[in-house]
Structure formats: C-alpha cells, structure tokens
C-alpha cells in the first residue's frame, strides 16, 4: 500500500473563510458568462489542435475524448506530446510559457509504478485557455509543436 512520508499539512483541512465566501458571492452573477467564455476558448484551441493533427500518421489522441459526455469547464487544455520538456523548451523559445502538471507522482516516490501518472507528468502539456487568446494564437502553439515533432 501507498504510505506517506509525513502527514498532510494542516492547511489541507482548514475551513473556508468568510472573506472567501464574500468573494464567491460577488462573482456568482458572472459565473455563467465565465464558464461559457472558457468553453469558447477550449473550442478554439481544440479546433486548432484538430486542424494541426488531422493529417498526422499515426493519428494523435484527442485531448478531450473522455469528456464527450457533456460540456466540461476548462481553464487549461491537456495536450499529449512526445516529450514535455522538449515541448516546453520549443514554445519558450517562441515566447510562449506553458507547463505540465504540478501534481507529484506520489506513487513513484514510494516505489510504485503507475504508468498513467508517469505519462501525465512526462508527456502532457497544459495549454492555457484565456478569452484574450484567439484561434491564431492556438494555431501558433500547435504549429510550433508540430514542427518540433511533438504532436
């Protein structure tokens, strides 16, 4: 079984504070518009990704095929790449900062191999989704990755 080296920090178990509740209430009226904006950004990014990868052999996996059941809310698009570090380096040279997951592979730290956790940390790039980014911005990202043979 998986064992933690130390107990979880106390702040993991803190209650929500009053000021957090007040902030949530202030922004609730914009929630529907915010969610739709995020979905629109995801559609733009996905359209760009699909155009870039449509003619590739072998075909690349669809980043959101698990979400066909509904309309998830995105704030980042998880894109499968051949090598996370190489992909980030190529994009950074073009002035585009992206990243991978910030989640640690806790199983690996305990000597347990979980292939999906390893794939997530080594072969998936998180592309930000923001309202100010246009389809041409996403095309640029995916064109750079395609030219570098990362997608």
């Amino acid at each position: 079984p998986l064992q933690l080296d130390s107990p979880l920090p106390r702040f993991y178990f803190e209650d929500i504070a009053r000021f957090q509740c007040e902030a949530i209430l202030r922004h609730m009226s914009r929630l529907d518009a915010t969610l739709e904006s995020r979905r629109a950004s995801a559609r733009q990014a996905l359209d760009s990704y699909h155009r870039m990868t449509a003619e590739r052999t072998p075909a690349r996996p669809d980043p959101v095929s698990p979400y066909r059941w509904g309309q998830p809310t995105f704030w980042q698009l998880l894109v499968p790449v051949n090598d996370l570090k190489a992909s980030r380096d190529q994009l950074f040279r073009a002035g585009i900062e992206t990243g991978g997951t910030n989640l640690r592979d806790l199983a690996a730290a305990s000597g347990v191999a979980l292939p999906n956790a390893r794939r997530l940390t080594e072969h998936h790039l998180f592309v930000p989704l923001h309202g100010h980014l246009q389809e041409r911005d996403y095309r640029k990202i995916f064109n750079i990755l395609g030219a570098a043979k990362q997608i």
Side-chain angles (χ1 to χ4, degrees), residues 9-70:
R10 290 190 67 209
F11 64 83
Y12 276 38
F13 304 101
E14 289 180 358
D15 290 333
I16 189 167
R18 180 180 176 88
F19 77 91
Q20 290 170 304
C21 292
E22 291 169 355
I24 291 168
L25 287 173
R26 274 196 311 274
H27 297 287
M28 284 297 282
S29 65
R30 295 191 308 246
L31 181 60
D32 289 339
T34 300
L35 295 178
E36 185 48 43
S37 172
R38 289 179 179 176
R39 290 181 183 124
S41 294
R43 284 190 294 272
Q44 285 185 348
L46 281 169
D47 287 348
S48 299
Y49 176 84
H50 289 139
R51 280 193 197 96
M52 179 63 207
T53 60
E55 298 177 10
R56 296 239 182 263
T57 305
R60 297 298 297 176
D62 185 341
V64 293
S65 59
Y67 299 115
R68 294 282 181 237
W69 47 264

Side-chain angles (χ1 to χ4, degrees), residues 51-134:
R51 280 193 197 96
M52 179 63 207
T53 60
E55 298 177 10
R56 296 239 182 263
T57 305
R60 297 298 297 176
D62 185 341
V64 293
S65 59
Y67 299 115
R68 294 282 181 237
W69 47 264
Q71 285 197 337
T73 301
F74 298 91
W75 60 278
Q76 292 184 332
L77 180 67
L78 182 63
V79 176
V81 294
N82 293 325
D83 181 293
L84 176 61
K85 184 180 180 325
S87 297
R88 290 186 68 201
D89 289 348
Q90 287 294 321
L91 291 170
F92 192 75
R93 286 187 191 111
I96 301 167
E97 189 172 1
T98 60
T101 182
N102 289 329
L103 298 174
R104 290 185 53 216
D105 182 354
L106 297 175
S110 298
V112 177
L114 296 177
N116 288 337
R118 186 184 57 76
R119 267 194 297 279
L120 177 64
T121 58
E122 297 176 9
H123 299 285
H124 285 83
L125 179 75
F126 286 82
V127 175
L129 300 171
H130 300 295
H132 69 275
L133 296 175
Q134 301 296 314

